[in-house]
Amino acid sequence: MKGIFSALLVPFDESGDIKEQGLREIIRQNIDKQKVDGLYVNGSSGENFMMSTEQKKEVFRIVSEENKGKVKLIAQVGSINLNEAVALGKYATDLGYDSLSAVTPFYYKFSFDEIKYYYETIINETKNNMIIYAIPALTGISMSLDQFEALFQNENVIGVKFTDGNFYLLERLRKKYPNKLIYSGFDEMLIYGAISGIDGAIGSTFNINGKRAKQILTLCQEDQVSKAYEIQHITNDLIERILDLGLYQTLKEILKITGIDAGVCKKPFEAFNFEKRAEVKKLVSTFNL
Ligand code: SI3
């Protein structure tokens, strides 16, 4: 369960339906070209929170079929509808997913006891492992070291996807929990997680730039930090442009330029601005994507 996990992009058509063939191509791109160690399915990058329950199940099924056991699979099942989270967790567990993950419940200001109940319920009902998905910038939930500790007491909580820039907290977690899996979540800050001893990383840009992410992680593990920094600099030149042009739209456009039917984003996400296509083509050649 260690290494580079792509937060899988999902291609949609103009009506918001999943493009199955395109999804299969994106899965193959990740496994065969980017050589990732695993896939994080139905996360933010998969536009999960805009999909129906049936669509989420369809993605879980297609990924499991296309993967054929090649790389590790993590199913993100978090939802503020706990019944849905449990149903998705059972579905992914039956498909053989290696672990579940769930975003901290959002929108309402849930208390920590409520958050703990949410994770315990998913674990108890599915009997699968759980990776906490902490992304305070989008959920508004910043958990303290003590709160992580309370969740980590449950042995089925095997780790955390830490999409946060609080590297002090990450260092404290690493020191205290050498046996829990810690994945960093911000691709542009991968090196800081890597020098703090993370086990892996989960990110959207790995769909097109996974090889460089793997190099950064491996070089840090080999104490070659200055070489890793060079690759992080190149990576961040790329990510900076992608963020300016629109994150998921541009990642899909890059995939399309390389011959993959990556579809469009689900509405209300804006469409990709076609006036910028030449610039994206240049990114593909400059960064050898
Ligand atoms: O699917 C997912 O859950 C993620 O990809 C989470 C991941 O942390 C990404 N965050 C978001 C909100 O997309 C990052 O990979 C992020 O896209 C990247 O660092 C660019 O900022």
Side-chain angles (χ1 to χ4, degrees), residues 61-240:
R61 176 185 59 77
I62 294 168
V63 174
S64 156
E65 262 175 38
E66 191 63 34
N67 180 47
K68 298 185 191 77
K70 269 197 121 179
V71 300
K72 297 285 183 194
L73 297 180
I74 301 173
Q76 197 296 121
V77 300
S79 165
I80 61 165
N81 175 349
L82 184 51
N83 295 332
E84 186 197 35
V86 167
L88 290 171
K90 285 183 176 169
Y91 187 78
T93 300
D94 288 346
L95 286 171
Y97 274 68
D98 296 285
S99 179
L100 303 180
S101 177
V103 70
T104 49
F106 50 89
Y107 188 75
Y108 299 107
K109 300 235 174 289
F110 294 105
S111 68
F112 179 68
D113 283 347
E114 290 165 335
I115 294 172
K116 191 160 171 279
Y117 175 83
Y118 162 91
Y119 284 112
E120 283 169 355
T121 304
I122 302 172
I123 291 167
N124 292 339
E125 294 282 331
T126 63
K127 311 273 181 281
N128 203 341
N129 287 333
M130 171 60 65
I131 294 164
I132 309 293
Y133 180 5
I135 180 161
L138 294 186
T139 58
I141 306 284
S142 285
M143 285 193 293
S144 64
L145 187 61
D146 288 349
Q147 291 175 333
F148 274 111
E149 182 154 2
L151 296 177
F152 281 177
Q153 293 309 314
N154 186 323
E155 62 179 31
N156 285 93
V157 175
I158 58 169
V160 56
K161 167 168 155 40
F162 189 87
T163 306
D164 194 354
N166 185 346
F167 292 100
Y168 175 65
L169 178 58
L170 186 136
E171 180 275 331
R172 293 288 82 193
L173 285 168
R174 178 72 301 166
K175 163 101 192 312
K176 209 157 185 192
Y177 297 101
N179 298 323
K180 298 284 184 189
L181 293 164
I182 302 182
Y183 303 91
S184 74
F186 277 128
D187 315 354
E188 52 277 51
M189 303 181 199
L190 171 57
I191 191 165
Y192 306 110
I195 58 175
S196 304
I198 52 167
D199 300 286
I202 298 170
S204 63
T205 63
F206 305 161
N207 285 271
I208 51 113
N209 193 45
K211 282 194 212 154
R212 285 196 182 92
K214 182 84 181 178
Q215 287 175 315
I216 294 168
L217 184 61
T218 308
L219 285 167
C220 288
Q221 286 165 345
E222 292 168 352
D223 280 336
Q224 301 195 63
V225 176
S226 54
K227 277 196 183 158
Y229 230 118
E230 283 170 26
I231 299 170
Q232 186 75 66
H233 285 318
I234 298 168
T235 292
N236 287 0
D237 289 343
L238 172 63
I239 294 179
E240 191 176 55

